[in-house]
Protein backbone atom coordinates (compact mmCIF):
# COMPACT_ATOMS: atom_id res chain seq x y z
CA UNK A 1 0.00 0.00 0.00
CA UNK A 2 2.85 2.39 0.86
CA UNK A 3 4.50 1.68 -2.50
CA UNK A 4 1.24 2.47 -4.33
CA UNK A 5 0.84 5.78 -2.45
CA UNK A 6 4.43 6.76 -3.24
CA UNK A 7 3.89 5.99 -6.94
CA UNK A 8 0.66 8.06 -6.99
CA UNK A 9 2.43 10.95 -5.30
CA UNK A 10 5.22 10.84 -7.86
CA UNK A 11 2.76 10.80 -10.77
CA UNK A 12 0.92 13.75 -9.25
CA UNK A 13 4.13 15.74 -9.07
CA UNK A 14 4.93 14.93 -12.69
CA UNK A 15 1.48 16.09 -13.80
CA UNK A 16 1.85 19.42 -12.07
CA UNK A 17 2.90 22.27 -14.34
CA UNK A 18 6.51 23.26 -13.82
CA UNK A 19 6.76 26.82 -12.56
CA UNK A 20 9.22 28.87 -14.60
CA UNK A 21 10.36 32.32 -13.52
CA UNK A 22 9.97 35.24 -15.91
CA UNK A 23 13.72 35.56 -16.42
CA UNK A 24 14.05 31.88 -17.28
CA UNK A 25 10.99 32.14 -19.52
CA UNK A 26 12.70 34.78 -21.67
CA UNK A 27 15.28 32.19 -22.65
CA UNK A 28 12.51 30.00 -24.02
CA UNK A 29 10.59 32.80 -25.73
CA UNK A 30 12.21 33.62 -29.07
CA UNK A 31 10.45 35.80 -31.66
CA UNK A 32 13.31 36.01 -34.21
CA UNK A 33 15.11 33.20 -35.95
CA UNK A 34 17.51 32.98 -38.89
CA UNK A 35 17.10 29.63 -40.63
CA UNK A 36 19.02 28.05 -43.49
CA UNK A 37 16.87 25.56 -45.38
CA UNK A 38 17.99 23.12 -48.08
CA UNK A 39 15.70 20.83 -50.04
CA UNK A 40 16.59 17.18 -50.34
CA UNK A 41 18.69 16.11 -53.32
CA UNK A 42 17.04 14.06 -56.03
CA UNK A 43 18.12 10.47 -56.43
CA UNK A 44 20.33 9.56 -59.36
CA UNK A 45 18.96 7.72 -62.39
CA UNK A 46 19.51 3.97 -62.64
CA UNK A 47 21.90 2.40 -65.17
CA UNK A 48 21.22 -1.21 -66.05
CA UNK A 49 20.22 -3.50 -68.91
CA UNK A 50 17.54 -6.13 -68.80
CA UNK A 51 18.88 -9.62 -68.48
CA UNK A 52 17.05 -12.95 -68.46
CA UNK A 53 17.61 -16.39 -70.03
CA UNK A 54 17.26 -16.61 -73.83
CA UNK A 55 16.88 -12.82 -74.12
CA UNK A 56 20.26 -11.44 -74.98
CA UNK A 57 19.26 -7.93 -75.97
CA UNK A 58 16.75 -6.99 -73.27
CA UNK A 59 17.44 -3.29 -73.59
CA UNK A 60 17.97 -0.61 -70.94
CA UNK A 61 15.83 -0.82 -67.77
CA UNK A 62 17.33 1.75 -65.39
CA UNK A 63 14.53 3.68 -63.66
CA UNK A 64 14.41 7.36 -62.73
CA UNK A 65 15.56 8.56 -59.33
CA UNK A 66 13.11 9.83 -56.70
CA UNK A 67 12.57 13.53 -56.04
CA UNK A 68 14.09 15.12 -52.96
CA UNK A 69 11.83 16.10 -50.08
CA UNK A 70 10.73 19.69 -49.42
CA UNK A 71 11.28 21.69 -46.24
CA UNK A 72 7.83 22.95 -45.21
CA UNK A 73 6.96 25.47 -42.51
CA UNK A 74 3.62 24.69 -40.84
CA UNK A 75 1.74 26.96 -38.43
CA UNK A 76 0.71 25.15 -35.25
CA UNK A 77 -1.53 26.61 -32.56
CA UNK A 78 0.36 24.69 -29.87
CA UNK A 79 3.63 26.44 -30.65
CA UNK A 80 4.11 29.71 -28.75
CA UNK A 81 7.72 30.55 -29.54
CA UNK A 82 10.41 30.10 -32.18
CA UNK A 83 12.79 28.67 -29.56
CA UNK A 84 12.39 25.11 -30.87
CA UNK A 85 13.22 26.11 -34.47
CA UNK A 86 16.74 25.01 -35.38
CA UNK A 87 19.13 27.13 -37.46
CA UNK A 88 19.37 24.52 -40.24
CA UNK A 89 16.98 22.08 -41.92
CA UNK A 90 17.42 19.79 -44.90
CA UNK A 91 14.85 17.69 -46.70
CA UNK A 92 15.38 13.96 -47.13
CA UNK A 93 17.12 12.79 -50.28
CA UNK A 94 15.41 10.79 -53.01
CA UNK A 95 16.53 7.23 -53.67
CA UNK A 96 18.40 6.10 -56.73
CA UNK A 97 16.53 4.48 -59.61
CA UNK A 98 16.70 0.68 -59.74
CA UNK A 99 16.68 -2.17 -62.19
CA UNK A 100 13.62 -3.35 -64.12
CA UNK A 101 12.42 0.24 -64.62
CA UNK A 102 11.90 0.70 -60.88
CA UNK A 103 11.72 4.33 -59.87
CA UNK A 104 13.51 5.47 -56.73
CA UNK A 105 11.34 6.50 -53.77
CA UNK A 106 10.77 10.21 -53.22
CA UNK A 107 12.41 11.76 -50.17
CA UNK A 108 10.08 12.51 -47.25
CA UNK A 109 9.17 16.13 -46.61
CA UNK A 110 10.66 17.87 -43.58
CA UNK A 111 7.93 19.68 -41.61
CA UNK A 112 8.95 22.48 -39.28
CA UNK A 113 6.30 23.63 -36.80
CA UNK A 114 6.16 27.37 -36.16
CA UNK A 115 3.73 29.46 -34.09
CA UNK A 116 0.64 30.98 -35.65
CA UNK A 117 1.52 34.56 -36.59
CA UNK A 118 4.97 33.81 -38.01
CA UNK A 119 6.23 36.03 -40.82
CA UNK A 120 8.73 34.53 -43.25
CA UNK A 121 11.15 37.02 -44.78
CA UNK A 122 13.85 36.70 -47.41
CA UNK A 123 16.21 39.59 -48.11
CA UNK A 124 13.96 41.87 -46.08
CA UNK A 125 10.79 41.05 -48.04
CA UNK A 126 7.84 39.12 -46.64
CA UNK A 127 7.36 35.90 -48.62
CA UNK A 128 4.78 34.22 -46.35
CA UNK A 129 2.46 35.10 -43.49
CA UNK A 130 1.36 32.04 -41.53
CA UNK A 131 -1.60 33.59 -39.72
CA UNK A 132 -3.92 30.55 -39.54
CA UNK A 133 -3.54 27.19 -37.83
CA UNK A 134 -2.45 24.54 -40.34
CA UNK A 135 -1.16 26.95 -42.98
CA UNK A 136 1.92 25.71 -44.81
CA UNK A 137 4.73 27.31 -46.77
CA UNK A 138 7.30 25.42 -48.82
CA UNK A 139 10.54 27.00 -47.63
CA UNK A 140 12.81 24.93 -49.91
CA UNK A 141 11.85 22.62 -52.76
CA UNK A 142 13.56 19.28 -53.16
CA UNK A 143 15.57 18.56 -56.28
CA UNK A 144 14.17 16.52 -59.16
CA UNK A 145 15.28 12.94 -59.52
CA UNK A 146 17.73 12.02 -62.26
CA UNK A 147 16.79 10.12 -65.43
CA UNK A 148 17.68 6.47 -65.80
CA UNK A 149 19.13 5.11 -69.02
CA UNK A 150 15.69 3.74 -69.98
CA UNK A 151 14.57 7.36 -70.47
CA UNK A 152 17.11 7.87 -73.26
CA UNK A 153 15.98 4.86 -75.33
CA UNK A 154 15.18 5.84 -78.94
CA UNK A 155 15.16 4.35 -82.40
CA UNK A 156 18.56 5.87 -83.03
CA UNK A 157 20.02 4.65 -79.73
CA UNK A 158 18.76 1.21 -78.71
CA UNK A 159 21.34 0.70 -75.95
CA UNK A 160 21.83 4.07 -74.21
CA UNK A 161 24.40 4.22 -71.43
CA UNK A 162 23.55 7.80 -70.49
CA UNK A 163 21.90 8.51 -67.13
CA UNK A 164 21.73 11.72 -65.08
CA UNK A 165 22.32 12.46 -61.39
CA UNK A 166 19.63 13.97 -59.21
CA UNK A 167 19.37 17.73 -58.96
CA UNK A 168 20.34 19.47 -55.72
CA UNK A 169 17.59 20.89 -53.55
CA UNK A 170 16.76 24.57 -53.32
CA UNK A 171 18.82 26.45 -50.75
CA UNK A 172 17.59 29.59 -48.98
CA UNK A 173 18.29 31.69 -45.90
CA UNK A 174 15.06 32.84 -44.27
CA UNK A 175 14.29 35.11 -41.35
CA UNK A 176 11.34 34.10 -39.19
CA UNK A 177 9.59 36.79 -37.18
CA UNK A 178 6.82 36.07 -34.70
CA UNK A 179 3.96 38.49 -34.15
CA UNK A 180 1.66 37.33 -31.38
CA UNK A 181 -1.83 36.59 -32.66
CA UNK A 182 -4.55 37.55 -30.20
CA UNK A 183 -7.93 39.22 -30.32
CA UNK A 184 -7.14 41.92 -27.75
CA UNK A 185 -3.89 43.52 -26.67
CA UNK A 186 -3.21 45.06 -23.26
CA UNK A 187 -1.23 48.24 -23.91
CA UNK A 188 0.19 50.38 -21.14
CA UNK A 189 3.24 51.75 -19.39
CA UNK A 190 5.27 49.63 -16.95
CA UNK A 191 3.49 48.89 -13.67
CA UNK A 192 0.09 49.97 -14.97
CA UNK A 193 -1.26 46.57 -13.89
CA UNK A 194 -1.55 44.73 -17.22
CA UNK A 195 -0.21 41.43 -15.89
CA UNK A 196 -2.43 41.59 -12.80
CA UNK A 197 -5.43 42.27 -15.03
CA UNK A 198 -4.64 39.32 -17.30
CA UNK A 199 -4.34 37.08 -14.23
CA UNK A 200 -7.71 38.32 -13.00
CA UNK A 201 -9.70 37.65 -16.20
CA UNK A 202 -7.93 34.48 -17.41
CA UNK A 203 -5.83 31.55 -16.23
CA UNK A 204 -2.58 33.01 -17.56
CA UNK A 205 0.16 33.45 -14.96
CA UNK A 206 2.48 36.27 -16.04
CA UNK A 207 4.93 37.50 -13.43
CA UNK A 208 3.71 40.31 -11.15
CA UNK A 209 6.09 42.50 -9.14
CA UNK A 210 6.49 46.10 -7.99
CA UNK A 211 9.23 47.08 -10.43
CA UNK A 212 9.25 48.17 -14.10
CA UNK A 213 9.47 45.67 -16.97
CA UNK A 214 8.33 42.71 -14.90
CA UNK A 215 6.86 41.23 -18.07
CA UNK A 216 9.67 40.51 -20.52
CA UNK A 217 7.75 38.59 -23.16
CA UNK A 218 4.12 38.55 -24.36
CA UNK A 219 1.65 36.32 -22.55
CA UNK A 220 -1.68 35.24 -24.00
CA UNK A 221 -4.62 34.51 -21.70
CA UNK A 222 -7.97 33.07 -22.75
CA UNK A 223 -11.25 34.53 -21.46
CA UNK A 224 -13.97 31.86 -21.51
CA UNK A 225 -17.69 32.56 -21.96
CA UNK A 226 -20.74 30.43 -21.23
CA UNK A 227 -21.47 29.82 -24.93
CA UNK A 228 -17.94 28.35 -25.28
CA UNK A 229 -16.57 31.32 -27.17
CA UNK A 230 -12.98 32.17 -26.27
CA UNK A 231 -11.33 35.57 -26.51
CA UNK A 232 -7.52 35.70 -26.53
CA UNK A 233 -5.96 38.62 -24.66
CA UNK A 234 -2.24 39.37 -25.02
CA UNK A 235 -0.24 41.04 -22.27
CA UNK A 236 2.29 43.16 -24.16
CA UNK A 237 5.41 44.23 -22.17
CA UNK A 238 5.27 47.82 -20.95
CA UNK A 239 6.08 50.65 -23.34
CA UNK A 240 7.89 53.90 -22.56
CA UNK A 241 8.19 57.22 -24.36
CA UNK A 242 10.29 56.75 -27.47
CA UNK A 243 9.42 53.06 -27.83
CA UNK A 244 8.93 53.55 -31.59
CA UNK A 245 12.61 54.63 -31.67
CA UNK A 246 13.51 51.31 -30.03
CA UNK A 247 13.90 52.72 -26.53
CA UNK A 248 13.20 50.39 -23.62
CA UNK A 249 11.86 47.12 -25.03
CA UNK A 250 10.87 49.18 -28.06
CA UNK A 251 10.11 47.73 -31.46
CA UNK A 252 10.87 44.22 -30.23
CA UNK A 253 7.37 44.17 -28.72
CA UNK A 254 5.51 46.90 -30.57
CA UNK A 255 5.18 44.48 -33.47
CA UNK A 256 3.20 42.08 -31.28
CA UNK A 257 0.43 44.69 -31.06
CA UNK A 258 0.01 44.68 -34.87
CA UNK A 259 -1.87 41.37 -34.79
CA UNK A 260 -4.39 42.44 -32.15
CA UNK A 261 -7.86 43.19 -33.50
CA UNK A 262 -8.76 45.61 -30.71
CA UNK A 263 -6.82 47.24 -27.90
CA UNK A 264 -7.24 47.66 -24.15
CA UNK A 265 -5.34 50.74 -22.99
CA UNK A 266 -4.47 50.18 -19.33
CA UNK A 267 -3.77 53.44 -17.46
CA UNK A 268 -2.84 53.92 -13.82
CA UNK A 269 -5.57 56.08 -12.30
CA UNK A 270 -3.51 56.78 -9.19
CA UNK A 271 -1.03 58.89 -11.20
CA UNK A 272 -1.81 62.56 -11.74
CA UNK A 273 -3.20 63.44 -15.17
CA UNK A 274 -3.79 59.85 -16.32
CA UNK A 275 -5.03 61.06 -19.71
CA UNK A 276 -1.41 61.97 -20.55
CA UNK A 277 -0.61 58.23 -20.41
CA UNK A 278 -3.26 57.53 -23.03
CA UNK A 279 -2.00 60.30 -25.32
CA UNK A 280 1.57 59.03 -25.08
CA UNK A 281 0.54 55.43 -25.74
CA UNK A 282 -1.47 56.33 -28.83
CA UNK A 283 1.38 58.50 -30.08
CA UNK A 284 3.88 55.63 -29.80
CA UNK A 285 1.55 53.24 -31.63
CA UNK A 286 0.87 55.76 -34.39
CA UNK A 287 4.55 56.50 -34.88
CA UNK A 288 5.31 52.81 -35.15
CA UNK A 289 2.54 52.08 -37.64
CA UNK A 290 0.05 54.54 -39.06
CA UNK A 291 -3.55 53.68 -38.14
CA UNK A 292 -2.61 51.35 -35.29
CA UNK A 293 -3.95 53.74 -32.64
CA UNK A 294 -7.30 53.98 -34.44
CA UNK A 295 -8.32 50.37 -33.88
CA UNK A 296 -11.39 49.65 -31.72
CA UNK A 297 -10.43 50.15 -28.11
CA UNK A 298 -11.49 50.74 -24.53
CA UNK A 299 -9.61 52.55 -21.81
CA UNK A 300 -9.15 50.53 -18.62
CA UNK A 301 -8.60 52.74 -15.59
CA UNK A 302 -6.82 50.47 -13.14
CA UNK A 303 -6.22 50.79 -9.37
CA UNK A 304 -9.64 52.31 -8.60
CA UNK A 305 -9.21 50.94 -5.08
CA UNK A 306 -6.72 53.74 -4.32
CA UNK A 307 -7.94 57.13 -3.07
CA UNK A 308 -6.21 59.32 -5.75
CA UNK A 309 -7.82 57.17 -8.46
CA UNK A 310 -11.34 58.15 -7.41
CA UNK A 311 -10.39 61.81 -7.83
CA UNK A 312 -8.71 61.30 -11.21
CA UNK A 313 -11.47 59.15 -12.75
CA UNK A 314 -13.95 61.98 -13.55
CA UNK A 315 -11.08 64.13 -14.82
CA UNK A 316 -9.99 61.35 -17.17
CA UNK A 317 -13.50 61.00 -18.58
CA UNK A 318 -13.62 64.75 -19.23
CA UNK A 319 -10.40 64.73 -21.25
CA UNK A 320 -11.00 61.72 -23.55
CA UNK A 321 -13.80 60.52 -25.82
CA UNK A 322 -13.13 56.78 -25.50
CA UNK A 323 -15.12 54.63 -23.12
CA UNK A 324 -13.49 54.27 -19.70
CA UNK A 325 -13.95 51.20 -17.51
CA UNK A 326 -12.67 51.79 -13.99
CA UNK A 327 -11.65 48.66 -12.09
CA UNK A 328 -9.16 47.13 -9.74
CA UNK A 329 -7.20 44.13 -10.96
CA UNK A 330 -5.98 43.59 -7.40
CA UNK A 331 -9.36 43.44 -5.63
CA UNK A 332 -11.48 42.36 -8.62
CA UNK A 333 -13.80 45.39 -8.49
CA UNK A 334 -15.81 45.90 -11.72
CA UNK A 335 -14.03 43.16 -13.68
CA UNK A 336 -17.39 41.92 -14.95
CA UNK A 337 -17.99 45.13 -16.93
CA UNK A 338 -14.67 44.69 -18.72
CA UNK A 339 -15.35 41.03 -19.53
CA UNK A 340 -18.78 41.89 -20.97
CA UNK A 341 -17.41 44.77 -23.05
CA UNK A 342 -14.57 42.55 -24.24
CA UNK A 343 -17.19 40.21 -25.65
CA UNK A 344 -18.92 43.12 -27.40
CA UNK A 345 -15.65 44.06 -29.10
CA UNK A 346 -15.09 40.44 -30.09
CA UNK A 347 -18.60 40.05 -31.55
CA UNK A 348 -18.13 43.25 -33.57
CA UNK A 349 -14.82 41.91 -34.91
CA UNK A 350 -16.40 38.55 -35.90
CA UNK A 351 -19.29 40.31 -37.65
CA UNK A 352 -16.93 42.59 -39.56
CA UNK A 353 -14.77 39.66 -40.71
CA UNK A 354 -17.78 37.64 -41.85
CA UNK A 355 -19.21 40.62 -43.76
CA UNK A 356 -15.94 40.73 -45.75
CA UNK A 357 -16.15 37.01 -46.44
CA UNK A 358 -13.17 36.19 -44.22
CA UNK A 359 -12.88 33.72 -41.36
CA UNK A 360 -12.28 35.30 -37.93
CA UNK A 361 -9.45 33.96 -35.79
CA UNK A 362 -10.75 31.38 -33.34
CA UNK A 363 -9.12 29.99 -30.20
Amino acid sequence: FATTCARCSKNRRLRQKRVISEKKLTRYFVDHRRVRVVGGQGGGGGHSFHSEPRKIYGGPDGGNGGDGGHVILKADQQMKSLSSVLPFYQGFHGERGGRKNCYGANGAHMYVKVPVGTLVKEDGEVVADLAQHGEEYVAAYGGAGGKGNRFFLSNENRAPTLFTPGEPGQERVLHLELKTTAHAGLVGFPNAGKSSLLRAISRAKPAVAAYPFTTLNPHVGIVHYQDYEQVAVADIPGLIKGAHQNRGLGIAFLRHIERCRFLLYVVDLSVSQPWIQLQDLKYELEQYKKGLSERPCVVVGNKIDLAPSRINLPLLREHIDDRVIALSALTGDNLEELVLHLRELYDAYVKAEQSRGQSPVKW
Side-chain angles (χ1 to χ4, degrees), residues 131-173:
Q132 298 287 340
H133 175 72
E135 275 192 277
E136 296 181 0
Y137 174 69
V138 180
Y141 286 94
K147 303 299 183 183
N149 64 336
R150 170 74 181 183
F151 177 82
F152 298 98
L153 177 65
S154 65
N155 290 332
E156 291 75 22
N157 188 359
R158 305 302 298 174
T161 58
L162 177 63
F163 62 98
T164 60
E167 296 182 3
Q170 184 184 19
E171 182 173 352
R172 303 169 73 184
V173 176

Side-chain angles (χ1 to χ4, degrees), residues 97-115:
R99 300 170 59 90
K100 299 181 180 179
N101 299 319
C102 291
Y103 282 34
N106 294 334
H109 299 322
M110 172 72 71
Y111 284 90
V112 181
K113 291 183 179 180
V114 296

Side-chain angles (χ1 to χ4, degrees), residues 162-316:
L162 177 63
F163 62 98
T164 60
E167 296 182 3
Q170 184 184 19
E171 182 173 352
R172 303 169 73 184
V173 176
L174 302 175
H175 293 267
L176 307 184
E177 179 180 306
L178 174 61
K179 295 184 178 181
T180 303
T181 299
H183 298 118
L186 296 173
V187 184
F189 287 112
N191 286 118
K194 301 183 300 299
S195 298
S196 298
L197 182 59
L198 187 65
R199 278 173 165 258
I201 63 177
S202 73
R203 296 179 181 177
K205 300 297 180 184
V208 175
Y211 53 82
F213 300 115
T214 311
T215 303
L216 298 176
N217 59 275
H219 291 265
V220 178
I222 308 299
V223 181
H224 299 269
Y225 292 89
Q226 290 183 349
D227 59 353
Y228 302 106
E229 283 287 359
Q230 297 179 347
V231 178
V233 182
D235 176 17
I236 308 299
L239 304 177
I240 64 171
K241 289 184 179 181
H244 70 279
Q245 298 174 339
N246 215 19
R247 294 178 183 171
L249 298 178
I251 294 175
F253 293 109
L254 270 170
R255 66 171 171 270
H256 290 281
I257 304 175
E258 287 186 62
R259 298 280 183 174
C260 298
R261 274 59 181 183
F262 40 90
L263 304 176
L264 308 181
Y265 293 102
V266 183
V267 298
D268 185 352
L269 284 177
S270 65
V271 179
S272 61
Q273 298 183 327
W275 55 90
I276 300 297
Q277 300 176 49
L278 182 63
Q279 294 173 5
D280 291 339
L281 288 171
K282 288 191 173 184
Y283 175 78
E284 293 300 327
L285 296 185
E286 195 64 24
Q287 291 299 309
Y288 173 70
K289 184 176 181 181
K290 189 173 181 61
L292 189 57
S293 65
E294 299 174 1
R295 294 189 180 178
C297 68
V298 63
V299 178
V300 179
N302 194 20
K303 305 182 183 180
I304 193 60
D305 53 307
L306 302 179
S309 301
R310 301 189 188 96
I311 301 174
N312 291 330
L313 178 58
L315 298 176
L316 174 63

Side-chain angles (χ1 to χ4, degrees), residues 20-82:
I20 303 176
S21 68
E22 189 73 21
K23 287 188 177 181
K24 288 183 179 179
L25 195 60
T26 59
R27 296 204 298 265
Y28 299 107
F29 182 83
V30 177
D31 55 5
H32 265 96
R33 203 55 125 189
R34 179 182 179 273
V35 183
R36 178 169 162 256
V37 289
V38 181
Q41 182 168 346
H47 175 261
S48 64
F49 288 88
H50 185 74
S51 176
E52 64 178 89
R54 296 180 299 277
K55 195 170 185 179
I56 303 175
Y57 302 106
D61 67 350
N64 297 339
D67 296 334
H70 308 326
V71 178
I72 302 175
L73 304 178
K74 185 172 183 178
D76 191 323
Q77 193 78 56
Q78 301 299 320
M79 304 292 292
K80 303 302 179 185
S81 169
L82 294 172

